[in-house]
Amino acid sequence: MDGSICIPLADFDFIPTDPCAVENELRRVHALMQLEQKEDQAQFELKNAKASIPERQRRGLTWYPVTITQEDTGFGGKVVLELERPASQQGLHLFQVGKNASLFGKVNGHSAGDQPTLNGVITSVRRNKLLLTTTREALPDWVLDGGKLGIDLTFDEVSYREMNQAMLEVMRARGDRLAELRDVLLGARQARFGAPQADDLLYPSPLNDSQLAAVRHVITAEDVAIIHGPPGTGKTTTLVQAIRETVRRERRVLVCAPSNTAVDLLTEKLAERGVKVIRLGNPSRVSDLLLENTLDARVMAHPSFSKMRAMRQTADQYRNTANERASEYVRHFGHEERQQRQMLKEEARQLFLQADDLERFITDDALDAVQVITCTLVGASNRHLRHLSFETVFIDEAAQALEPGCWIPIAKGQRVVLAGDHHQLPPTVKSDKAAREGLRETLFEKCIQRQPATARMLTLQYRMHEQIMAFSSQRFYGGQLQAHQNVRHAGLDAYDLGFAPDLPVEFLDTAGFGFSEVTIPESRSTANPEEADLLLRRLTQLLEPYDPGQHEQDPLTIGVIAPYRAQINCLKDAIEENEALNGLLQHRLLSVGTVDSFQGQERDIIAISLTRSNHQGDIGFLSDIRRMNVGMTRARRKLLLVGDSSTLSAHPFFKDLLAHVQCIGGYRTAWAMAD
């Protein structure tokens, strides 16, 4: 963007970070990531060492049994197996392209921990089939002897390897664009912005003023732009519009996110708006629109695909014929027979090489025809992208992404757009030491704090009643959030007058009621069975006026949240005994889970059991107030909180929350329920 005019950023004081400090910071992040890898691997091995096959299947780590439906030869003569699991077992799993996996056999004479294995890498996943590219040029006997086979995911070294490589690349960068972006993102160089053009936005859209300002901000950014999207403010809608405007100006962009779910959503939204998009990697959900925009689907639809497939089929025939002849002439295998077999093998090898070349051409041709390529952060290291560069790289959910992962796609771009909200859930870090020492701090957080001029916050939310929104707005977003007129007063009474009168926010206080928490030693988790019963009694009472038959087109949705797995189990057990609530559960109108399971979702009613109740004022990881922000802002019409104020008030956040609820008239004691 040479020659553009830079907008002065007088409203923000920019104090550059010392370049030496940036270098030291990157070294520390790199070391913490290696610590995280060791802890992650130790936990993976511990969890799976004694886990049964059904348990590993439940976790999404194993397919069993599997059948070999096809055997091919891949790059370097390695065996490629197509494996299929029974259709009856289809369900969520963690298998995806690029993951390491191990084929195992249930072989007589071997103990459970001593079964033979064949390692490889997953190169394709389609519903109940996957391709495993093995490390062998010939299959061992136990694979061919007809015994039952299964496949396990092994520890994900690929992601760590790519993050490690990205960290080394960004640390070594000198005098190039990656070095400049690194220095801007980490605060050592001031971000630049060009002057907006008169016809800056082309596509008509229903965006509000703050969303339009964010899109314009993205268009004028020369280095880095941040879209800060609090709950319910339409971050995805805004990001999609920013991508559309960008591809009007640029040849092709890369769009990434740390989770497959987020990548899938963006792919679908872009495709719906007519953007030419290809999804690399394995989608986490199945939809016709998503599947037709995967790389596999585009390759199969290419005019040259049938030619490539025919070449591989012919090569397979030559190879099989050569093997059959070797078997036929095993006792009288003369010079002429050996030459014939060698010729067939060489012809097969040449055809496989030609097919590989044609596949590369088809893939490059498909990628060249699109405006947007979408993938996960680690997916940006895909071999099909290695020769490509992009003027702009977009990273969604950047506030939930580990910093090393973000550097993978950033290294491919000339400028970066980050979208997310650092006041919601942070990235998962398994090493307590790495988390304490800073690995949980994201690149998004660092940039928005050190370069506030890079960010534009969306301020109009479309999800919550204004009273549900109010505390989060004040506590996390400087009081800047506003409720759209369609939701401002949309409580339960607006949904159905049978609920009137109602409180959009209600805190049911168990202090002095003797509901003490219980620690479960085996899991180090916490439960409060009496509090769980009270919450469900209040929820049942609240739903008494509700007649599902009158709202078949717009059923009420309910989420029950607790911070601890043990309390979730208590709630689920109690719901099974409650006919009304269990009916809603069976019809998927009621769901129960931790805050993490509700991230990115919303419900008409959210009921939260805060669980902790003790004389020490110990609230454990409830002190991670970002989780509470996420939990409370899932509610559209009603937020019900149940907890012990005497325990919770020891923390300033909950003390302020209780004061807020009292101020709006939403405070009640458990004694009121007893009466």
Side-chain angles (χ1 to χ4, degrees), residues 290-424:
L290 189 57
L291 291 175
E292 72 185 37
N293 286 289
T294 59
L295 179 59
D296 283 346
R298 294 293 178 83
V299 167
M300 291 172 69
H302 195 277
S304 297
F305 177 76
S306 57
K307 180 181 178 182
M308 180 192 72
R309 184 173 57 183
M311 290 167 69
R312 286 201 169 131
Q313 287 173 342
T314 303
D316 275 328
Q317 290 171 3
Y318 285 164
R319 183 190 60 188
N320 292 338
T321 301
N323 291 337
E324 286 169 6
R325 290 191 179 179
S327 178
E328 282 177 30
Y329 301 118
V330 66
R331 291 186 180 178
H332 307 286
F333 202 62
H335 176 71
E336 186 177 339
E337 290 84 5
R338 187 174 288 106
Q339 277 194 320
Q340 265 191 329
R341 181 171 180 263
Q342 195 61 38
M343 182 183 68
L344 286 169
K345 286 179 67 177
E346 179 59 23
E347 287 184 11
R349 191 180 74 84
Q350 289 298 326
L351 276 173
F352 277 128
L353 289 173
Q354 290 173 34
D356 290 341
D357 288 341
L358 185 54
E359 182 179 16
R360 275 189 287 265
F361 165 77
I362 293 170
T363 301
D364 289 345
D365 197 39
L367 292 174
D368 195 53
V370 298
Q371 299 166 294
V372 178
I373 297 173
T374 63
C375 60
T376 60
L377 299 176
V378 175
S381 64
N382 187 293
R383 61 188 172 91
H384 299 306
L385 298 184
R386 282 176 188 158
H387 64 291
L388 299 180
S389 61
F390 303 86
E391 190 165 339
T392 303
V393 170
F394 290 84
I395 301 178
D396 193 16
E397 286 189 347
Q400 283 186 268
L402 290 174
E403 178 181 336
C406 290
W407 291 117
I408 300 172
I410 289 172
K412 296 182 175 297
Q414 296 298 305
R415 66 185 196 122
V416 185
V417 179
L418 306 176
D421 179 13
H422 54 305
H423 297 305
Q424 295 189 57

Side-chain angles (χ1 to χ4, degrees), residues 489-547:
H489 305 298
L492 285 175
D493 50 353
Y495 173 80
D496 188 321
L497 284 174
F499 287 106
D502 184 57
L503 302 168
V505 180
E506 179 181 342
F507 187 96
L508 197 54
D509 191 359
T510 66
F513 226 66
F515 291 175
S516 296
E517 64 186 54
V518 179
T519 300
I520 312 298
E522 294 82 3
S523 61
R524 293 187 297 174
S525 190
T526 303
N528 194 325
E530 293 169 307
E531 182 178 293
D533 289 339
L534 178 68
L535 180 144
L536 296 179
R537 274 195 288 131
R538 175 61 186 130
L539 190 57
T540 303
Q541 182 189 72
L542 182 68
L543 292 171
E544 282 177 3
Y546 177 55
D547 181 1

Side-chain angles (χ1 to χ4, degrees), residues 36-235:
E36 170 71 0
Q37 179 176 357
K38 289 179 182 176
E39 178 63 23
D40 193 6
Q41 184 162 6
Q43 289 188 22
F44 183 91
E45 291 172 354
L46 183 65
K47 284 181 181 177
N48 292 285
K50 298 180 180 178
S52 64
I53 288 176
E55 175 63 17
R56 299 201 307 271
Q57 285 177 304
R58 188 186 66 77
R59 293 180 191 164
L61 300 172
T62 297
W63 284 10
Y64 181 83
V66 294
T67 305
I68 298 174
T69 52
Q70 193 170 325
E71 178 189 341
D72 286 317
T73 302
F75 288 112
K78 305 299 184 187
V79 176
V80 180
L81 298 176
E82 182 182 71
L83 305 173
E84 183 175 11
R85 64 174 175 170
S88 60
Q89 292 186 17
Q90 71 177 21
L92 294 178
H93 60 82
L94 300 176
F95 287 80
Q96 56 184 282
V97 173
K99 294 277 190 180
N100 292 328
S102 179
L103 188 71
F104 65 88
K106 299 277 283 183
V107 178
N108 292 333
H110 288 262
S111 63
D114 189 34
Q115 298 289 351
T117 59
L118 176 63
N119 294 326
V121 175
I122 297 169
T123 50
S124 174
V125 182
R126 294 179 190 153
R127 301 200 183 186
N128 291 319
K129 289 186 178 182
L130 63 80
L131 291 184
L132 180 72
T133 298
T134 74
T135 54
R136 301 277 290 272
E137 295 184 9
L139 293 177
D141 291 340
W142 62 265
V143 175
L144 305 171
D145 69 2
K148 279 194 172 183
L149 302 174
I151 184 168
D152 281 328
L153 273 180
T154 53
F155 179 67
D156 183 16
E157 292 181 0
V158 175
S159 294
Y160 284 107
R161 184 176 66 240
E162 296 300 339
M163 287 192 287
N164 180 65
Q165 182 59 38
M167 288 300 300
L168 292 174
E169 188 175 351
V170 76
M171 285 191 289
R172 292 169 183 158
R174 296 288 186 276
D176 58 7
R177 187 55 178 155
L178 178 57
E180 292 176 350
L181 288 176
R182 172 196 66 204
D183 291 346
V184 172
L185 284 159
L186 295 176
R189 180 194 295 257
Q190 187 166 10
R192 301 167 300 162
F193 294 86
Q197 303 299 313
D199 59 341
D200 57 345
L201 298 184
L202 173 67
Y203 293 110
S205 71
L207 299 187
N208 62 49
D209 289 345
S210 70
Q211 291 172 329
L212 284 170
V215 174
R216 289 191 173 96
H217 183 62
V218 167
I219 298 306
T220 59
E222 295 191 5
D223 307 298
V224 177
I226 291 177
I227 299 175
H228 181 192
T233 55
K235 172 180 64 69

Side-chain angles (χ1 to χ4, degrees), residues 6 106 234 254:
C6 288
K106 299 277 283 183
L254 180 63

Side-chain angles (χ1 to χ4, degrees), residues 256-274:
C256 301
S259 70
N260 276 299
T261 303
V263 177
D264 292 345
L265 177 62
L266 284 169
T267 304
E268 288 181 324
K269 295 294 185 185
L270 289 164
E272 286 169 0
R273 286 158 178 77

